Amino acid sequence: VLVTIIFATLILLACGANPAGAFGNIISGAFGSASKWGDIAVVMVPLTLCSAGMLVTFAAGLINIGVEGQIVAGALASTWLVQAVDVPKAVGLPLTLIAGAVGGALMGVLIGALRTWGRVNEIFGGLGMNFVMVALTNYLIFGPWKPPDGATMSGTEPFPDWAWMPTIGNSRACWVAIGLALAALVAVYFLLRDTHWGLRLKAIGRNPVASARLGVNTHQEIILSFVVCGVMAGIAGSLQTTAVYHRLIPQISGGYGYMSQLVVLLSGLQAPAIPAIVFFFGAVQVGSPRLELRMGLDSSLGGILQASMVLFFILMRGWRQRWAARQEHHG
């Protein structure tokens, strides 16, 4: 944390900005009002859901870059359902979540199949599908799903009232979304710690060849891990449409799929560390725009702060491991 603050301070000084003022604006921009706390919760929900799913794929030794596309797939599936049916809110909202989960799961199956049977590395397969899903979203918004008065970057027509998730007070935060995110994280924690399936995933992550020789169906478990991650990412995409934007927009994923990988790396693949890290990321995400409003600095400095935190954490952990190994060798 200290090295990250020093690094960010040097960048701000190089830009001719006052570091104390910049950090102060990020903090006040994130926590200056009750609505800002709600905005932080809005960021935390998809980050927590995607991070929980990525813990599963990371346990199996898989780098699921395609989680971004799985978010989009969930959003597309939920939007299709909203446009296809007209049902009461009590029935419709659970259906949108199910549709999102199915959309994300199908994308997970596709990436898993490319990995196991097509021998396509999950990084390249997932990244390719991300671009496909973004292109499909733009096609639908500017084509079949465009509003009656013409297509715009604002997205589709607003969803009907039955497809709007309930919010907390006047904030944008949704108690259903927060509950689902926490439930997903707790479920993954116990899934990886206390189940035979979690043990099999960890065995595959350590040594897939030895796991296969001991009777573990590695192809099946790998695809299943992508499916579980896809379900959680798909629910995140569904909530982006029904709880946040109330429509489908071109950048519906918000980059949360990529950001969740930073969260998981920073957590050291430990579920209990996820909430604190996503809170930090959410606060920086919400507070950074004030840098541009108050100081004329680009709000992307917040992203630099997030990424540098992960970078220096990994570097320091590697240095500690090398130091420990050297001490053991000399001992």
Side-chain angles (χ1 to χ4, degrees):
V1 173
L2 178 61
V3 174
T4 301
I5 293 174
I6 294 173
F7 178 71
T9 299
L10 292 175
I11 290 178
L12 290 166
L13 290 173
C15 296
N18 179 2
F23 291 133
N25 274 299
I26 291 177
I27 294 172
S28 60
F31 308 112
S33 65
S35 64
K36 294 295 184 181
W37 285 88
D39 291 341
I40 292 174
V42 168
V43 175
M44 289 179 67
V45 165
L47 271 183
T48 302
L49 282 165
C50 293
S51 298
M54 291 202 67
L55 286 173
V56 176
T57 49
F58 263 111
L62 304 166
I63 303 175
N64 187 13
I65 296 291
V67 70
E68 186 83 4
Q70 291 166 346
I71 298 174
V72 178
L76 292 179
S78 292
T79 303
W80 171 82
L81 179 80
V82 170
Q83 297 198 0
V85 302
D86 185 11
V87 293
K89 183 184 279 287
V91 176
L93 289 180
L95 287 178
T96 60
L97 291 172
I98 293 171
V102 171
L106 291 176
M107 183 58 58
V109 169
L110 179 57
I111 297 173
L114 288 172
R115 168 67 168 75
T116 55
W117 295 319
R119 297 185 181 276
V120 177
N121 185 281
E122 69 274 8
I123 295 176
F124 301 113
L127 192 61
M129 293 311 303
N130 290 348
F131 287 113
V132 170
M133 296 310 296
V134 170
L136 179 59
T137 301
N138 291 333
Y139 163 73
L140 291 171
I141 290 175
F142 289 91
W145 291 351
K146 67 180 179 182
D149 55 352
T152 65
M153 290 300 291
S154 61
T156 62
E157 276 279 279
F159 287 175
D161 290 342
W162 67 262
W164 286 45
M165 285 283 179
T167 55
I168 302 173
N170 295 323
S171 72
R172 299 168 63 210
C174 171
W175 61 268
V176 174
I178 294 172
L180 287 171
L182 291 175
L185 189 61
V186 171
V188 166
Y189 171 72
F190 287 107
L191 184 74
L192 295 178
R193 193 191 71 167
D194 296 331
T195 68
H196 288 293
W197 186 62
L199 183 61
R200 290 197 297 272
L201 287 182
K202 292 176 183 178
I204 294 172
R206 291 293 184 90
N207 194 323
V209 176
S211 300
R213 289 178 177 174
L214 290 172
V216 176
N217 189 335
T218 56
H219 285 188
Q220 174 183 296
E221 305 298 1
I222 286 173
I223 292 177
L224 189 55
S225 69
F226 277 114
V227 169
V228 171
C229 185
V231 165
M232 296 182 185
I235 291 174
S238 175
L239 291 170
Q240 286 290 96
T241 60
T242 59
V244 180
Y245 297 106
H246 306 119
R247 66 177 74 198
L248 179 69
I249 65 171
Q251 300 296 327
I252 192 66
S253 65
Y256 292 128
Y258 297 122
M259 199 182 300
S260 64
Q261 297 178 57
L262 300 181
V263 172
V264 173
L265 289 172
L266 196 56
S267 73
L269 311 185
Q270 300 298 317
I274 296 292
I277 297 169
V278 296
F279 179 75
F280 164 75
F281 273 52
V284 173
Q285 188 92 344
V286 173
S288 295
R290 184 164 289 201
L291 292 174
E292 192 166 354
L293 295 174
R294 298 291 180 86
M295 302 181 68
L297 298 172
D298 198 295
S299 60
S300 63
L301 282 170
I304 294 174
L305 184 62
Q306 294 167 334
S308 60
M309 176 74 81
V310 179
L311 174 63
F312 290 123
F313 172 79
I314 294 174
L315 287 174
M316 295 299 288
R317 186 175 61 181
W319 177 82
R320 288 178 62 186
Q321 290 174 348
R322 291 186 64 181
W323 182 82
R326 185 175 298 175
Q327 291 295 108
E328 183 179 351
H329 174 73
H330 289 309

